[in-house]
Amino acid sequence: MSEPQIPIYVGMMSGTSMDGVDAVAAVFTNGRYQFIGRSSESYSTHLRSSLISLCSSGPDEVLRCQECGNEVAKIYAKVFNKLLEGTGLETSNICAIGAHGQTIRHSPQMGASTQLINGALLAELTKTDVVTDFRSRDLAAGGEGAPLVPLFHKCVFSGSVPRGILNIGGISNLTYLPALGSDADVFGFDCGPGNVLMDGWTEKINGTPYDHDGMWARSGKVSEKLLALLKKEAFFDLTPPKSTGRELFNLGWLESKLSDESVEDVQRTLVVLTAGTITEAIERFAPDIQELFVCGGGAKNSLLMQELAAMNPARAVKTTAALGMDAQDVEGAAFAWLAKRFVERQPGNLPSVTGAEGGRILGALYPA
Protein backbone atom coordinates (compact mmCIF):
# COMPACT_ATOMS: atom_id res chain seq x y z
CA MET A 1 0.00 0.00 0.00
CA SER A 2 1.39 3.41 -0.96
CA GLU A 3 2.14 6.05 1.68
CA PRO A 4 -0.56 8.73 2.07
CA GLN A 5 0.47 11.98 0.40
CA ILE A 6 1.41 14.81 2.77
CA PRO A 7 -0.69 17.84 1.76
CA ILE A 8 1.17 20.58 -0.08
CA TYR A 9 -0.16 24.12 0.21
CA VAL A 10 0.67 27.13 -1.91
CA GLY A 11 0.60 30.62 -0.41
CA MET A 12 0.48 33.68 -2.65
CA MET A 13 1.04 37.22 -1.42
CA SER A 14 1.07 40.68 -2.96
CA GLY A 15 1.74 43.29 -0.30
CA THR A 16 1.36 47.02 0.15
CA SER A 17 4.48 47.66 -1.92
CA MET A 18 2.29 46.62 -4.89
CA ASP A 19 5.27 45.43 -6.89
CA GLY A 20 4.14 41.90 -7.72
CA VAL A 21 3.26 38.45 -6.41
CA ASP A 22 5.36 35.97 -4.43
CA ALA A 23 4.31 32.32 -4.14
CA VAL A 24 5.62 29.57 -1.89
CA ALA A 25 4.81 25.86 -1.89
CA ALA A 26 5.26 24.21 1.48
CA VAL A 27 4.44 21.25 3.68
CA PHE A 28 3.61 21.66 7.35
CA THR A 29 3.94 18.62 9.61
CA ASN A 30 4.05 18.52 13.40
CA GLY A 31 4.52 22.27 13.58
CA ARG A 32 7.49 22.20 11.21
CA TYR A 33 7.84 24.00 7.89
CA GLN A 34 9.27 22.29 4.82
CA PHE A 35 10.00 24.47 1.81
CA ILE A 36 9.08 22.96 -1.57
CA GLY A 37 9.51 25.80 -4.04
CA ARG A 38 8.91 29.45 -4.88
CA SER A 39 8.04 31.68 -7.83
CA SER A 40 7.28 35.33 -8.39
CA GLU A 41 6.07 37.76 -11.00
CA SER A 42 6.22 41.55 -11.14
CA TYR A 43 3.14 43.60 -11.90
CA SER A 44 3.08 45.41 -15.20
CA THR A 45 3.53 49.17 -14.97
CA HIS A 46 -0.09 49.64 -16.03
CA LEU A 47 -1.52 47.22 -13.43
CA ARG A 48 0.60 48.67 -10.63
CA SER A 49 -0.46 52.19 -11.55
CA SER A 50 -4.12 51.11 -11.69
CA LEU A 51 -3.91 49.44 -8.27
CA ILE A 52 -2.21 52.41 -6.64
CA SER A 53 -4.86 54.72 -8.09
CA LEU A 54 -7.54 52.64 -6.35
CA CYS A 55 -6.03 53.39 -2.95
CA SER A 56 -7.83 56.73 -3.06
CA SER A 57 -11.19 57.84 -4.42
CA GLY A 58 -11.67 58.33 -8.14
CA PRO A 59 -14.09 57.84 -11.04
CA ASP A 60 -15.55 54.45 -12.00
CA GLU A 61 -14.10 52.76 -8.93
CA VAL A 62 -16.40 49.74 -9.06
CA LEU A 63 -15.56 49.00 -12.69
CA ARG A 64 -11.85 49.55 -12.13
CA CYS A 65 -11.91 47.26 -9.07
CA GLN A 66 -13.54 44.53 -11.13
CA GLU A 67 -11.00 44.89 -13.92
CA CYS A 68 -8.05 44.89 -11.52
CA GLY A 69 -9.46 41.94 -9.56
CA ASN A 70 -9.51 39.91 -12.76
CA GLU A 71 -6.00 41.00 -13.73
CA VAL A 72 -4.65 40.17 -10.27
CA ALA A 73 -6.22 36.69 -10.51
CA LYS A 74 -4.53 36.16 -13.88
CA ILE A 75 -1.14 37.17 -12.45
CA TYR A 76 -1.66 34.83 -9.49
CA ALA A 77 -2.50 32.01 -11.90
CA LYS A 78 0.65 32.72 -13.92
CA VAL A 79 2.78 32.61 -10.77
CA PHE A 80 1.09 29.37 -9.69
CA ASN A 81 1.81 27.73 -13.04
CA LYS A 82 5.44 28.90 -12.90
CA LEU A 83 5.70 27.32 -9.46
CA LEU A 84 4.37 24.00 -10.75
CA GLU A 85 6.78 24.08 -13.69
CA GLY A 86 9.73 24.90 -11.44
CA THR A 87 9.02 22.15 -8.93
CA GLY A 88 7.62 19.43 -11.16
CA LEU A 89 4.41 19.41 -9.14
CA GLU A 90 0.97 18.93 -10.65
CA THR A 91 -2.33 20.47 -9.61
CA SER A 92 -3.31 17.13 -8.08
CA ASN A 93 -0.42 17.53 -5.62
CA ILE A 94 -1.75 20.82 -4.24
CA CYS A 95 -4.34 20.70 -1.48
CA ALA A 96 -5.23 24.39 -1.70
CA ILE A 97 -3.96 27.83 -2.64
CA GLY A 98 -4.01 30.55 0.00
CA ALA A 99 -4.39 33.74 -2.07
CA HIS A 100 -4.16 37.02 -0.19
CA GLY A 101 -5.07 39.36 -3.05
CA GLN A 102 -4.06 43.00 -3.36
CA THR A 103 -5.05 45.35 -0.56
CA ILE A 104 -6.27 48.71 -1.84
CA ARG A 105 -8.16 49.96 1.24
CA HIS A 106 -7.84 49.00 4.89
CA SER A 107 -10.41 50.61 7.18
CA PRO A 108 -10.69 48.57 10.38
CA GLN A 109 -12.54 51.43 12.09
CA MET A 110 -15.33 50.69 9.59
CA GLY A 111 -14.93 46.92 9.90
CA ALA A 112 -13.73 46.77 6.30
CA SER A 113 -10.66 45.83 4.30
CA THR A 114 -10.54 45.35 0.53
CA GLN A 115 -8.23 42.86 -1.19
CA LEU A 116 -8.70 42.68 -4.94
CA ILE A 117 -8.70 39.23 -6.48
CA ASN A 118 -11.31 37.23 -8.36
CA GLY A 119 -11.12 33.99 -6.40
CA ALA A 120 -13.55 32.21 -8.70
CA LEU A 121 -11.43 33.09 -11.73
CA LEU A 122 -8.26 31.95 -9.99
CA ALA A 123 -9.87 28.60 -9.14
CA GLU A 124 -11.01 28.28 -12.76
CA LEU A 125 -7.56 29.07 -14.14
CA THR A 126 -5.63 26.83 -11.74
CA LYS A 127 -8.13 23.97 -11.34
CA THR A 128 -7.24 24.08 -7.65
CA ASP A 129 -9.14 24.97 -4.48
CA VAL A 130 -8.59 28.63 -3.63
CA VAL A 131 -8.92 30.12 -0.16
CA THR A 132 -9.04 33.91 -0.11
CA ASP A 133 -10.68 36.84 1.74
CA PHE A 134 -8.72 36.13 4.91
CA ARG A 135 -9.32 39.42 6.71
CA SER A 136 -13.11 39.77 6.69
CA ARG A 137 -13.93 37.28 9.46
CA ASP A 138 -11.49 38.82 11.92
CA LEU A 139 -12.93 42.26 11.14
CA ALA A 140 -16.45 40.91 11.62
CA ALA A 141 -15.39 39.70 15.07
CA GLY A 142 -14.27 43.20 16.02
CA GLY A 143 -10.61 42.81 15.10
CA GLU A 144 -8.27 44.92 12.99
CA GLY A 145 -8.06 42.24 10.30
CA ALA A 146 -4.27 42.68 10.51
CA PRO A 147 -1.64 41.57 11.02
CA LEU A 148 -2.61 37.96 10.32
CA VAL A 149 0.82 36.32 10.30
CA PRO A 150 1.74 36.29 14.03
CA LEU A 151 0.13 32.91 14.74
CA PHE A 152 2.22 31.45 11.91
CA HIS A 153 5.30 33.18 13.32
CA LYS A 154 4.56 31.63 16.71
CA CYS A 155 4.40 28.14 15.21
CA VAL A 156 7.61 28.31 13.19
CA PHE A 157 9.86 30.96 14.77
CA SER A 158 9.50 30.74 18.57
CA GLY A 159 12.76 30.25 20.48
CA SER A 160 14.41 30.18 23.88
CA VAL A 161 14.48 33.99 24.26
CA PRO A 162 11.94 36.71 23.41
CA ARG A 163 12.04 37.38 19.68
CA GLY A 164 10.64 39.94 17.31
CA ILE A 165 9.68 39.00 13.77
CA LEU A 166 9.69 42.21 11.76
CA ASN A 167 8.10 42.25 8.33
CA ILE A 168 9.10 45.30 6.31
CA GLY A 169 6.89 45.42 3.26
CA GLY A 170 5.09 48.57 2.23
CA ILE A 171 4.04 48.83 5.87
CA SER A 172 6.19 47.52 8.73
CA ASN A 173 4.64 45.12 11.23
CA LEU A 174 6.07 43.44 14.28
CA THR A 175 5.27 40.13 15.96
CA TYR A 176 6.37 39.68 19.57
CA LEU A 177 7.19 36.06 20.42
CA PRO A 178 7.78 35.32 24.11
CA ALA A 179 10.33 32.68 25.00
CA LEU A 180 9.09 29.10 24.76
CA GLY A 181 7.47 28.12 28.01
CA SER A 182 6.57 31.69 28.93
CA ASP A 183 3.03 32.59 29.97
CA ALA A 184 3.22 35.89 28.06
CA ASP A 185 0.95 36.44 25.06
CA VAL A 186 2.06 36.65 21.47
CA PHE A 187 1.07 40.00 20.06
CA GLY A 188 1.70 42.05 16.96
CA PHE A 189 0.83 45.31 15.25
CA ASP A 190 1.69 47.63 12.39
CA CYS A 191 4.52 50.00 13.31
CA GLY A 192 4.04 52.45 10.41
CA PRO A 193 5.59 52.92 6.99
CA GLY A 194 8.00 50.27 5.79
CA ASN A 195 9.05 50.72 2.18
CA VAL A 196 5.95 52.54 0.95
CA LEU A 197 7.30 56.09 1.31
CA MET A 198 10.86 55.25 0.30
CA ASP A 199 9.65 53.44 -2.81
CA GLY A 200 7.09 56.11 -3.69
CA TRP A 201 9.59 58.95 -3.39
CA THR A 202 12.21 57.07 -5.43
CA GLU A 203 9.68 56.37 -8.16
CA LYS A 204 8.48 59.97 -8.25
CA ILE A 205 11.96 61.51 -8.45
CA ASN A 206 14.01 58.86 -10.28
CA GLY A 207 11.39 56.84 -12.13
CA THR A 208 12.60 53.59 -10.55
CA PRO A 209 10.37 51.40 -8.36
CA TYR A 210 12.75 51.31 -5.39
CA ASP A 211 16.11 52.55 -4.12
CA HIS A 212 18.34 49.53 -4.71
CA ASP A 213 20.16 48.68 -1.49
CA GLY A 214 19.55 52.23 -0.24
CA MET A 215 22.27 53.60 -2.52
CA TRP A 216 20.42 56.83 -3.37
CA ALA A 217 19.55 57.44 0.27
CA ARG A 218 23.24 57.16 1.16
CA SER A 219 23.89 60.31 -0.85
CA GLY A 220 21.63 62.37 1.42
CA LYS A 221 21.58 63.54 5.02
CA VAL A 222 18.86 63.21 7.63
CA SER A 223 16.67 66.29 7.99
CA GLU A 224 15.91 66.40 11.69
CA LYS A 225 13.21 69.01 11.09
CA LEU A 226 11.39 66.83 8.57
CA LEU A 227 11.87 63.71 10.69
CA ALA A 228 10.32 65.40 13.74
CA LEU A 229 7.38 66.60 11.65
CA LEU A 230 6.74 63.14 10.18
CA LYS A 231 6.86 61.55 13.62
CA LYS A 232 4.04 63.81 14.84
CA GLU A 233 1.55 61.60 12.99
CA ALA A 234 -1.05 60.42 15.51
CA PHE A 235 -0.81 56.78 14.39
CA PHE A 236 2.58 56.40 16.04
CA ASP A 237 1.08 57.25 19.44
CA LEU A 238 -1.70 54.65 19.23
CA THR A 239 -1.45 51.50 21.32
CA PRO A 240 -1.95 48.03 19.79
CA PRO A 241 -3.99 46.53 18.30
CA LYS A 242 -3.43 48.87 15.40
CA SER A 243 -2.98 48.59 11.64
CA THR A 244 -2.54 51.00 8.77
CA GLY A 245 -1.86 51.25 5.04
CA ARG A 246 -1.57 53.50 2.01
CA GLU A 247 -4.75 55.29 3.06
CA LEU A 248 -2.53 57.19 5.52
CA PHE A 249 1.09 56.74 4.55
CA ASN A 250 1.31 57.87 0.92
CA LEU A 251 3.10 60.48 -1.17
CA GLY A 252 0.40 63.08 -0.51
CA TRP A 253 0.96 62.67 3.23
CA LEU A 254 4.74 63.02 2.76
CA GLU A 255 4.60 65.98 0.38
CA SER A 256 2.33 67.92 2.74
CA LYS A 257 5.23 67.90 5.24
CA LEU A 258 8.05 68.97 2.88
CA SER A 259 9.67 72.38 2.75
CA ASP A 260 13.16 73.07 1.39
CA GLU A 261 14.81 69.65 1.78
CA SER A 262 16.85 68.21 -1.09
CA VAL A 263 15.36 65.13 -2.72
CA GLU A 264 18.28 63.01 -1.46
CA ASP A 265 17.83 64.26 2.08
CA VAL A 266 14.15 63.34 1.95
CA GLN A 267 15.05 59.78 0.98
CA ARG A 268 17.67 59.48 3.71
CA THR A 269 15.19 60.82 6.25
CA LEU A 270 12.57 58.27 5.19
CA VAL A 271 15.00 55.42 5.90
CA VAL A 272 15.51 56.75 9.43
CA LEU A 273 11.76 57.29 9.83
CA THR A 274 11.10 53.61 9.09
CA ALA A 275 13.93 52.31 11.29
CA GLY A 276 13.20 54.82 14.04
CA THR A 277 9.46 54.25 14.35
CA ILE A 278 10.05 50.48 14.41
CA THR A 279 12.65 50.85 17.16
CA GLU A 280 10.47 53.20 19.19
CA ALA A 281 7.58 50.73 18.92
CA ILE A 282 9.82 47.92 20.18
CA GLU A 283 11.04 50.00 23.11
CA ARG A 284 7.51 51.04 24.01
CA PHE A 285 5.62 47.76 23.60
CA ALA A 286 8.17 44.90 23.53
CA PRO A 287 11.37 46.07 25.24
CA ASP A 288 12.44 42.56 26.29
CA ILE A 289 13.00 41.42 22.68
CA GLN A 290 16.53 40.05 22.47
CA GLU A 291 16.57 38.91 18.84
CA LEU A 292 15.02 40.75 15.91
CA PHE A 293 14.53 38.84 12.66
CA VAL A 294 13.59 40.81 9.57
CA CYS A 295 11.66 39.62 6.52
CA GLY A 296 10.01 41.25 3.51
CA GLY A 297 11.54 43.53 0.90
CA GLY A 298 13.10 45.80 3.50
CA ALA A 299 15.47 43.00 4.50
CA LYS A 300 17.23 43.55 1.16
CA ASN A 301 17.99 47.21 1.94
CA SER A 302 21.39 47.10 3.63
CA LEU A 303 21.17 50.75 4.71
CA LEU A 304 17.87 50.12 6.44
CA MET A 305 19.28 47.01 8.10
CA GLN A 306 22.33 49.01 9.25
CA GLU A 307 20.08 51.66 10.78
CA LEU A 308 18.03 49.03 12.59
CA ALA A 309 21.18 47.39 13.97
CA ALA A 310 22.58 50.76 15.10
CA MET A 311 19.31 51.68 16.82
CA ASN A 312 19.07 48.27 18.53
CA PRO A 313 22.60 47.69 19.85
CA ALA A 314 21.45 45.31 22.59
CA ARG A 315 19.55 43.09 20.16
CA ALA A 316 20.79 40.67 17.51
CA VAL A 317 19.38 41.98 14.21
CA LYS A 318 19.31 39.40 11.41
CA THR A 319 17.03 38.28 8.60
CA THR A 320 14.75 35.26 8.94
CA ALA A 321 17.23 33.35 6.79
CA ALA A 322 19.04 32.74 10.09
CA LEU A 323 15.96 30.80 11.18
CA GLY A 324 15.83 28.76 7.98
CA MET A 325 13.32 30.79 5.96
CA ASP A 326 14.27 33.21 3.20
CA ALA A 327 13.14 36.74 4.02
CA GLN A 328 11.11 36.93 0.81
CA ASP A 329 9.27 33.66 1.51
CA VAL A 330 7.77 34.38 4.93
CA GLU A 331 4.48 35.98 3.93
CA GLY A 332 3.86 33.53 1.10
CA ALA A 333 4.52 30.65 3.49
CA ALA A 334 2.19 32.26 6.02
CA PHE A 335 -0.73 32.28 3.60
CA ALA A 336 -0.03 28.68 2.62
CA TRP A 337 -0.28 27.89 6.35
CA LEU A 338 -3.47 29.97 6.68
CA ALA A 339 -4.98 27.95 3.82
CA LYS A 340 -4.08 24.80 5.74
CA ARG A 341 -5.76 26.19 8.86
CA PHE A 342 -8.90 26.90 6.84
CA VAL A 343 -8.98 23.39 5.37
CA GLU A 344 -8.53 21.91 8.84
CA ARG A 345 -11.17 24.29 10.28
CA GLN A 346 -8.70 25.79 12.72
CA PRO A 347 -8.49 29.48 13.76
CA GLY A 348 -6.00 31.56 11.83
CA ASN A 349 -6.04 34.76 13.88
CA LEU A 350 -4.77 35.68 17.33
CA PRO A 351 -7.17 37.85 19.36
CA SER A 352 -4.18 39.17 21.35
CA VAL A 353 -2.90 40.59 18.05
CA THR A 354 -5.97 41.84 16.21
CA GLY A 355 -8.33 42.55 19.08
CA ALA A 356 -11.00 40.19 17.72
CA GLU A 357 -13.50 38.69 20.15
CA GLY A 358 -11.96 35.26 19.69
CA GLY A 359 -10.17 32.89 17.37
CA ARG A 360 -11.87 32.55 14.00
CA ILE A 361 -11.51 30.38 10.90
CA LEU A 362 -10.29 32.80 8.25
CA GLY A 363 -11.07 32.73 4.55
CA ALA A 364 -13.61 31.82 1.93
CA LEU A 365 -13.36 28.83 -0.41
CA TYR A 366 -13.64 28.77 -4.20
CA PRO A 367 -13.53 25.05 -5.06
CA ALA A 368 -11.56 23.79 -8.04
Side-chain angles (χ1 to χ4, degrees), residues 182-195:
S182 169
D183 293 331
D185 286 334
V186 175
F187 64 87
F189 55 91
D190 285 354
C191 303
N195 301 313

Side-chain angles (χ1 to χ4, degrees), residues 2 22 47 94 98 109 118-119 146 153 166 184 190-191 219 247 254 259 263 306 310 315 335 353:
S2 62
D22 292 310
L47 178 56
I94 309 302
Q109 69 279 6
N118 185 334
H153 291 164
L166 175 65
D190 285 354
C191 303
S219 68
E247 306 78 28
L254 170 63
S259 53
V263 293
Q306 288 168 17
R315 300 181 177 97
F335 281 91
V353 172

Side-chain angles (χ1 to χ4, degrees), residues 13 16 135 146-150 153 164-176 187-195 235 242-244 274 278 281-282 292-295 330-331 353:
M13 177 68 186
T16 49
R135 301 191 187 275
L148 293 183
V149 293
H153 291 164
I165 307 299
L166 175 65
N167 177 66
I168 307 179
I171 300 298
S172 63
N173 54 72
L174 178 74
T175 299
Y176 169 78
F187 64 87
F189 55 91
D190 285 354
C191 303
N195 301 313
F235 176 83
K242 61 177 182 174
S243 56
T244 189
T274 291
I278 289 167
I282 292 172
L292 185 64
F293 295 95
V294 184
C295 57
V330 176
E331 285 203 305
V353 172

Side-chain angles (χ1 to χ4, degrees), residues 132-306:
T132 189
D133 190 22
F134 286 97
R135 301 191 187 275
S136 293
R137 187 61 191 275
D138 184 85
L139 285 157
E144 290 276 317
L148 293 183
V149 293
L151 185 55
F152 171 70
H153 291 164
K154 176 185 178 181
C155 291
V156 299
F157 290 141
S158 292
S160 59
V161 299
R163 287 175 170 173
I165 307 299
L166 175 65
N167 177 66
I168 307 179
I171 300 298
S172 63
N173 54 72
L174 178 74
T175 299
Y176 169 78
L177 299 176
L180 286 169
S182 169
D183 293 331
D185 286 334
V186 175
F187 64 87
F189 55 91
D190 285 354
C191 303
N195 301 313
V196 63
L197 298 176
M198 293 184 286
D199 290 353
W201 186 245
T202 300
E203 187 166 24
K204 177 181 174 66
I205 302 301
N206 297 330
T208 55
Y210 60 93
D211 180 15
H212 181 70
D213 211 25
M215 292 303 295
W216 184 44
R218 292 176 191 274
S219 68
K221 297 179 180 179
V222 177
S223 167
E224 296 296 342
K225 180 180 72 172
L226 175 60
L227 182 62
L229 191 59
L230 296 173
K231 284 187 174 182
K232 287 183 178 180
E233 174 55 50
F235 176 83
F236 298 125
D237 294 326
L238 297 177
T239 57
K242 61 177 182 174
S243 56
T244 189
R246 285 178 178 265
E247 306 78 28
L248 174 57
F249 294 111
N250 53 51
L251 275 185
W253 178 85
L254 170 63
E255 290 171 335
S256 71
K257 312 288 194 295
L258 301 181
S259 53
D260 57 352
E261 299 86 7
S262 73
V263 293
E264 296 85 359
D265 288 356
V266 171
Q267 187 71 4
R268 186 71 178 82
T269 303
L270 292 175
V271 174
V272 174
L273 174 70
T274 291
T277 52
I278 289 167
T279 301
E280 288 163 12
I282 292 172
E283 291 297 338
R284 184 178 176 192
F285 302 117
D288 62 329
I289 285 176
Q290 295 182 31
E291 299 173 339
L292 185 64
F293 295 95
V294 184
C295 57
K300 297 180 179 179
N301 186 329
S302 64
L303 177 60
L304 180 57
M305 291 293 288
Q306 288 168 17

